[in-house]
DNA sequence: TTTTTGCCTCTGG
DNA sequence: CCAGAGGCAAAA
């Protein structure tokens, strides 16, 4: 990665007292629409805003540099999305005490945070994740945004050319009116009709923004409500709970977190198939050890498992 | 309750 | 080629 000199007008967020690991956060598989350019600058669309972000690689105590478009200097928007308010050092002390094997993941990914993603993007993005690969999920979600999302203008005069174009994630109304054959052409496969049906279902609810209203409801209730929707099982429901709805205790049990939990805590469940009962038992092993931020702890173990020996940085484009 | 099977499509063995 | 990929739901 070449050293990048950023213009002075890029905003600066100090991370000395509260670490933030930009690349680990964006590469850990919780979001699908960020891209990194050849200079190591990350570009992403969040709601109607494009965020550019840069940080010295592997230095989670160094300042986060950022800009927003088209409206500049949206500091609270950026802090809110990256959840910079969460006191990670305090959590690390609790986690290490509860599980010594967390030490490696914490040292490797110190500053990794769970994002507060826009609700619809997370809801539909993870619908794509069933039986799929991360690379293909990213391609597929990007195609959806390019076809149905509103373009977000980014000035041509930037010193660093945007790897754009950028699009807002499509609205629920747009997805409800989407054409199944177009979605299938964009690699959604058998998930295409589910996306349209889920969008129609959300649209028909009386609430103004039902998904957003779930942020203020308790985890158990939200998980049950999401799981009841056709196409959303326990795992996808937990992803939405954790990555968009402020449910920090939600622990998505997938093929990786399942292996980890079985290895560390429940070898007796090694041969059990992942029935609802087993799913709940494995998720509970995380919660009973790591507490109300078990979902965050899980992300460290998950990412360490995923990139055990590999370089976790994506290849520059 | 648990186990099995089909589902779009791409990729690594 | 074929199995599996950060599942899910229907059927047995």
């Amino acid at each position: 990665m070449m050293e990048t000199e950023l213009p002075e007008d890029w905003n600066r967020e100090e991370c000395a007292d509260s670490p933030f690991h930009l690349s680990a956060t964006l590469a850990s598989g919780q979001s699908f629409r960020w891209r990194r350019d050849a200079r190591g600058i990350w570009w992403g669309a969040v709601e109607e805003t494009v965020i550019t972000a840069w940080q010295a690689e592997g230095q989670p105590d160094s300042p986060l540099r950022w800009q927003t478009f088209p409206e500049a200097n949206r500091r609270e928007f950026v802090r809110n999305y990256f959840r910079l308010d969460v006191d990670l050092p305090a959590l690390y002390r609790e986690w290490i005490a509860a599980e010594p094997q967390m030490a490696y993941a914490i040292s490797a990914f110190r500053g990794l945070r769970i994002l507060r993603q826009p609700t619809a993007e997370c809801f539909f993005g993870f619908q794509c994740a069933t039986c799929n690969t991360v690379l293909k999920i990213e391609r597929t979600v990007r195609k959806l945004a390019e076809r149905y999302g509103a373009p977000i203008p980014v000035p041509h005069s930037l010193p660093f050319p945007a790897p754009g174009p950028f699009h807002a994630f499509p609205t629920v109304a747009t997805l409800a009116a989407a054409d199944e054959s177009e979605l299938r052409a964009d690699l959604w496969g058998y998930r295409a009709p589910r996306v349209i049906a889920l969008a129609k279902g959300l649209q028909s609810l009386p609430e103004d923004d039902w998904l957003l209203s779930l942020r203020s409801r308790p985890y158990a209730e939200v998980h049950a409500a999401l799981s009841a929707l056709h196409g959303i099982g326990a795992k996808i429901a937990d992803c939405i709970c954790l990555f968009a709805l402020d449910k920090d205790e939600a622990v998505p049990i997938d093929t990786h977190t399942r292996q980890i939990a079985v290895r560390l805590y429940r070898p007796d469940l090694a041969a059990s198939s992942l029935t609802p009962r087993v799913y709940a038992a494995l998720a509970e092993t995380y919660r009973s050890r790591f507490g109300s931020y078990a979902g965050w702890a899980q992300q460290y173990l998950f990412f360490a498992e995923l990139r055990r020996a590999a370089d976790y940085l994506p290849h520059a484009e």
Side-chain angles (χ1 to χ4, degrees):
Chain A
M1 192 61 61
M2 71 181 80
E3 192 54 39
T4 298
E5 287 297 324
L6 294 178
E8 281 306 309
D9 67 342
W10 278 56
N11 295 286
R12 177 185 298 264
E13 195 68 28
E14 297 301 331
C15 298
D17 298 325
S18 187
F20 177 50
H21 197 313
L22 175 68
S23 64
T25 298
L26 295 181
S28 67
Q30 52 180 315
S31 64
F32 303 119
R33 299 218 298 144
W34 282 87
R35 279 190 283 183
R36 191 179 205 189
D37 71 16
R39 291 181 171 82
I41 298 171
W42 290 90
W43 301 73
V46 179
E47 295 177 11
E48 318 294 323
T49 297
V50 167
I51 300 175
T52 66
W54 182 88
Q55 183 183 43
E57 188 54 46
Q59 298 179 39
D61 300 300
S62 69
L64 170 70
R65 306 292 303 276
W66 60 271
Q67 288 193 305
T68 56
F69 302 99
E71 184 184 339
N73 307 324
R74 298 195 62 193
R75 178 170 184 243
E76 284 313 310
F77 183 82
V78 169
R79 288 188 56 86
N80 179 65
Y81 178 75
F82 288 124
R83 300 200 63 182
L84 298 182
D85 56 315
V86 173
D87 184 2
L88 282 178
L91 292 176
Y92 294 160
R93 288 190 288 275
E94 294 176 20
W95 295 348
I96 294 274
E99 174 52 67
Q101 294 206 41
M102 280 291 286
Y104 165 74
I106 289 174
S107 70
F109 311 129
R110 199 168 64 87
L112 168 61
R113 289 171 187 272
I114 297 295
L115 300 167
R116 181 180 284 125
Q117 298 185 50
T119 55
E121 172 172 344
C122 189
F123 181 87
F124 291 103
F126 275 95
Q127 176 66 210
C128 184
T130 65
C131 216
N132 215 339
T133 60
V134 172
L135 198 62
K136 203 165 143 235
I137 298 167
E138 291 173 348
R139 278 210 307 264
T140 308
V141 172
R142 179 165 304 163
K143 281 172 176 286
L144 186 75
E146 287 173 355
R147 187 189 284 275
Y148 294 116
I152 305 175
V154 172
H156 296 297
S157 58
L158 291 178
F160 310 116
F166 294 94
H167 299 262
F169 194 82
T171 64
V172 174
T174 304
L175 293 178
D179 181 43
E180 181 181 328
S181 63
E182 288 184 336
L183 289 180
R184 284 181 181 268
D186 287 351
L187 307 180
W188 283 80
Y190 62 84
R191 308 165 191 86
R194 289 182 187 171
V195 166
I196 296 168
L198 284 168
K200 287 179 174 169
L202 289 181
Q203 234 188 350
S204 70
L205 296 173
E207 277 94 339
D208 182 42
D209 191 336
W210 180 71
L211 281 178
L212 197 60
S213 77
L214 297 179
R215 281 193 178 154
S216 59
R217 306 301 306 166
Y219 164 65
E221 173 190 329
V222 175
H223 187 263
L226 290 174
S227 305
L229 302 177
H230 191 274
I232 307 246
K235 191 266 181 180
I236 301 298
D238 271 322
C239 288
I240 300 165
C241 280
L242 179 63
F243 301 135
L245 299 179
D246 293 353
K247 304 299 174 265
D248 300 310
E249 70 270 53
V251 180
I253 301 297
D254 59 31
T255 174
H256 302 291
T257 52
R258 177 188 182 186
Q259 294 305 320
I260 296 167
V262 165
R263 192 169 67 229
L264 290 180
Y265 307 121
R266 295 298 300 268
D268 59 305
L269 294 178
S272 308
S273 59
L274 196 56
T275 61
R277 190 175 290 274
V278 171
Y279 184 103
L282 293 179
E284 198 52 37
T285 65
Y286 285 94
R287 276 189 284 274
S288 66
R289 282 162 184 81
F290 299 111
S292 58
Y293 279 76
W296 290 55
Q298 162 276 145
Q299 194 73 6
Y300 283 73
L301 292 172
F302 168 81
F303 197 33
E305 182 88 356
L306 201 62
R307 310 289 173 89
R308 226 181 244 266
D311 178 8
Y312 60 89
L313 299 175
H315 297 294
E317 296 180 16

